């Protein structure tokens, strides 16, 4: 998938467990896992805003684009 989710990177930088992030953002740990593992088809701006607020980061710190491999 060309969009890569770097929530794990920000969690490590903030030394925050996944469960604490889910609680503070207001989503279930299962939905956060879907997002952070790159299986989500979409993300609401309100969720992205909450993630950025809790992690004190910019959307670009959480999401990045990588070109698809030509072999795919």
């Amino acid at each position: 998938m060309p969009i890569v989710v770097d929530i794990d990177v920000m969690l490590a930088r903030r030394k925050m467990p996944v469960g604490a992030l889910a609680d503070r953002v207001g989503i279930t740990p299962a939905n956060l896992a879907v997002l952070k593992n790159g299986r989500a088809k979409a993300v609401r701006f309100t969720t992205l805003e909450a993630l950025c607020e809790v992690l004190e980061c910019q959307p670009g710190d959480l999401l990045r684009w990588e070109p698809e491999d030509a072999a795919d």
Side-chain angles (χ1 to χ4, degrees), residues 3-53:
I3 301 296
V4 179
V5 181
D6 287 327
I7 291 176
D8 285 338
V9 173
M10 292 307 297
L11 282 169
R13 287 183 184 165
R14 302 296 186 252
K15 297 179 180 165
M16 182 182 295
V18 175
L21 178 61
D23 286 343
R24 292 181 62 187
V25 170
I27 61 176
T28 66
N31 283 341
L32 183 58
V34 167
L35 180 59
K36 79 181 189 75
N37 292 327
R39 295 188 318 255
K41 299 292 182 194
V43 60
R44 292 177 189 255
F45 281 142
T46 54
T47 302
L48 184 58
E49 179 183 3
L51 287 166
C52 289
E53 184 176 341

Side-chain angles (χ1 to χ4, degrees), residues 2 19 30 33 48 50 57 60 64:
L48 184 58
C57 66
R64 63 187 160 88

Side-chain angles (χ1 to χ4, degrees), residues 49-63:
E49 179 183 3
L51 287 166
C52 289
E53 184 176 341
V54 170
L55 293 170
E56 298 177 353
C57 66
Q58 295 295 314
D61 296 326
L62 301 176
L63 303 171

